[in-house]
Amino acid sequence: MTVRDLLTSEKFSAISLPDESREIRNVYIGDLLSWVMGRAKADDAWITIMSNVNILAVASLADTSCIILAEGVTVDETIKATAMDKEINILTTNMNIYETAIYLNGLL
Amino acid sequence: MSEALKFHYVVDGQDFTSAGHASVMVKKNLRQLGLPPEKIRQVSIAMYEGEINMVIHAGGGVADVSVTEDYVEIVLTDKGPGIKDIEQAMQEGFSTATDNIRSLGFGAGMGLPNMKRYSDFMEINSVVGEGTTITMRVNIN
C-alpha cells in the first residue's frame, strides 16, 4: 500500500505530500520521539499526536513513509513548509490512534 | 587505505527547533556516498540523539563525522555541565530533562541508550563542569 492509497479513503487528508508513492510496509505508534526514533522501522507509517517541528527530523532520520496525525491534530504553516522541503509526508485523521491502527491493519 | 572524508558541524544550542539539522545533512551525504540504508539509519539515529542531548543539556557543541572504508565515526564535543554518573545516564528511562523538554517529546531517557544500541562502538569522556566528548563508530563492513 502506498501513501496515495491511504488518501483515497475520506478518513485521511494530506497536510504535506511530497512523495505520495512512498510504500507503507508496517505501522508504528508513539509520542516519545526518542522511543520512536529507536524503534520505528523504515517504511513504517508513524501514528502520533505530537505536532512540534521535531517530528520532521524523527520521520526523516527513521525514514518512515509518512506521519499520521491522529485525533484531528494538525501543524502550523512553517512546519508544513519544512515538511515539503524535507520531503516528509504528513496526513491527518479525525480517528483516534486506536481506530487509526485498526483501520490500517485492515489495509496492510 | 584512502583518506577519510570529514564533515564538521556546529550544533546551535539556542535553537531547539533546528536540532537535527547536522544529522539530516550527514544522512544526505552518506546517501550520496552510496552507503547501505540500514547503516545510514544507524548513523543518523545515533547522531541525532547526540545532537539533541547537546541542545538539551549542553547549550550546543560541535559534531565531527569521518567516513572511512571500514566505519563512520561521529565525535560530539560540548562544553556543557558534564555527566555526573555515566552508568546511571546509560540506563533506559533515566533522564534529567525538564518538563518543558518532555512536553516536546524528548527526555524519555532513551538518548544515550539509543546511541549505544545503534553504534558498534561508543566511548564517553566527561568531566563535570568542563564538558563531554562522545565518540561513536558504526562499522560498514
Side-chain angles (χ1 to χ4, degrees):
Chain A
M1 176 176 61
T2 64
V3 175
R4 190 193 302 118
D5 296 336
L6 258 194
L7 284 163
T8 54
S9 150
E10 59 185 23
K11 290 185 180 297
F12 297 90
S13 52
I15 290 179
S16 99
L17 203 57
D19 188 7
E20 61 178 4
S21 61
R22 197 62 208 264
E23 189 74 25
I24 298 174
R25 297 193 195 281
N26 219 321
V27 178
Y28 193 83
I29 299 172
D31 299 321
L32 285 171
L33 302 189
S34 286
W35 197 277
V36 175
M37 173 86 87
R39 311 282 167 121
K41 304 231 164 22
D43 300 324
D44 280 354
W46 169 29
I47 311 173
T48 184
I49 50 163
M50 271 298 189
S51 60
N52 67 63
V53 69
N54 300 303
I55 60 174
L56 302 179
V58 171
S60 166
L61 296 171
D63 208 16
T64 58
S65 48
C66 63
I67 302 172
I68 300 176
L69 300 171
E71 311 267 8
V73 168
T74 185
V75 295
D76 64 32
E77 288 299 323
T78 325
I79 297 181
K80 207 185 279 188
T82 314
M84 286 302 290
D85 189 43
K86 288 190 175 173
E87 298 185 355
I88 312 280
N89 296 316
I90 307 180
L91 315 183
T92 182
T93 176
N94 285 322
M95 291 185 286
N96 69 28
I97 288 179
Y98 179 64
E99 292 160 348
T100 310
I102 289 179
Y103 190 87
L104 286 171
N105 186 51
L107 298 174
L108 284 169
Chain B
M1 199 173 108
S2 55
E3 186 111 335
L5 265 173
K6 291 180 187 297
F7 306 100
H8 177 79
Y9 304 92
V10 174
V11 178
D12 185 353
Q14 304 306 311
D15 189 2
F16 202 83
T17 55
S18 74
H21 179 72
S23 316
V24 172
M25 291 303 293
V26 166
K27 184 181 175 182
K28 237 178 234 171
N29 287 333
L30 296 182
R31 214 179 244 171
Q32 276 167 3
L33 289 171
L35 262 69
E38 192 45 42
K39 297 291 170 190
I40 296 177
R41 215 175 100 87
Q42 269 181 268
V43 172
S44 323
I45 291 174
M47 180 161 167
Y48 180 67
E49 293 287 10
E51 214 185 319
I52 288 289
N53 274 350
M54 289 201 291
V55 175
I56 293 177
H57 299 289
V62 293
D64 288 282
V65 179
S66 18
V67 186
T68 74
E69 283 174 5
D70 300 317
Y71 57 82
V72 179
E73 183 178 75
I74 307 157
V75 181
L76 305 166
T77 311
D78 70 59
K79 295 189 178 355
I83 304 169
K84 240 182 255 170
D85 184 340
I86 292 176
E87 204 179 312
Q88 191 178 33
M90 287 305 300
Q91 285 169 15
E92 283 196 7
F94 177 81
S95 174
T96 57
T98 60
D99 285 349
N100 179 36
I101 298 294
R102 285 169 208 263
S103 71
L104 290 169
F106 294 107
M110 292 298 293
L112 286 169
N114 271 350
M115 287 157 74
K116 184 151 179 76
R117 176 181 298 141
Y118 282 96
S119 56
D120 296 302
F121 166 85
M122 178 162 106
E123 186 180 67
I124 305 177
N125 284 302
S126 190
V127 179
V128 173
E130 287 183 22
T132 301
T133 301
I134 297 186
T135 306
M136 292 180 285
R137 265 181 228 139
V138 173
N139 295 334
I140 299 173
N141 293 313

